[in-house]
Amino acid sequence: MSIVIAGRSLVLVGFMGSGKSSVGRELAKRWNFRFVDTDTMIRHKYDLSIPDIFAKHGEDFFREQEYQVLVRLRGISSTVIATGGGIVTQPRNLPLLRALGPVVWLCADQTTILDRVGKSTHRPMLNQANPEESVTRLLKERAPLYHQAADLRIETSGLTHREVADRVVS
Ligand code: S3P
């Protein structure tokens, strides 16, 4: 484990399909850290799936929940935290993310993202008539936000989750 992480947490940000949860679990296992996923925390709080939360309460409500989760996580140590792809869209989240520990941006090219999530049905942000157009637009909007939030960027296209975890570690 890097000296940078010791006693702190590690935060993973990145677009849908960038592998935050799988890589996060792998890292937590290697470091004997806890693993948490902000989407899972929100799902458990309401006992609803993410699409159901969006359908019932709307996106603004979901974004408020993301913020509340980060407030709840404040001060947590020795934990790998995977976040939802839109967590960087709220400026108020950035200082909270950075206070948790180093922030790593898992990024992937558009073709890889589309391969991974193009047909997914459990991602409300992509449940549109044209998911490809949504991915293109959101990637363009969010790339500068991930860049701003993160201490480190790791390209994941063509890599397995283990290989990505190796890169984070090194
Ligand atoms: C979202 C990403 C999802 C989830 C929600 C909204 C987004 O998480 O938080 O559907 O706005 O990009 P993943 O990045 O884990 O798919």
Side-chain angles (χ1 to χ4, degrees), residues 8-126:
R8 303 173 76 202
S9 292
L10 180 86
V11 181
L12 297 175
V13 298
F15 204 77
M16 294 168 265
S18 58
K20 292 160 294 189
S21 300
S22 311
V23 171
R25 272 198 203 90
E26 174 69 25
L27 285 168
K29 200 165 75 185
R30 291 188 192 189
W31 292 335
N32 204 16
F33 271 26
R34 283 179 296 262
F35 171 75
V36 299
D37 180 316
T38 57
D39 280 351
T40 307
M41 289 175 72
I42 297 169
R43 280 199 289 110
H44 286 173
K45 181 169 172 192
Y46 292 97
D47 199 17
L48 285 174
S49 69
I50 300 294
D52 284 347
I53 293 175
F54 269 70
K56 214 168 158 189
H57 301 289
E59 182 180 350
D60 287 353
F61 175 88
F62 176 77
R63 299 299 173 203
E64 174 64 24
Q65 299 314 309
E66 283 189 312
Y67 169 72
Q68 294 298 339
V69 161
L70 292 182
V71 170
R72 267 171 59 203
L73 288 173
R74 204 148 42 180
I76 199 170
S77 61
S78 307
T79 304
V80 178
I81 300 157
T83 59
I87 204 133
V88 294
T89 59
Q90 294 185 80
R92 63 180 174 167
N93 290 346
L94 265 52
L96 293 170
L97 290 168
R98 297 180 71 95
L100 289 164
V103 179
V104 177
W105 170 20
L106 301 186
C107 73
D109 58 50
Q110 188 170 327
T111 312
T112 305
I113 297 277
L114 275 169
D115 277 355
R116 292 180 187 163
V117 302
K119 292 195 175 61
S120 93
T121 51
H122 64 282
R123 290 185 162 100
M125 299 301 289
L126 302 180

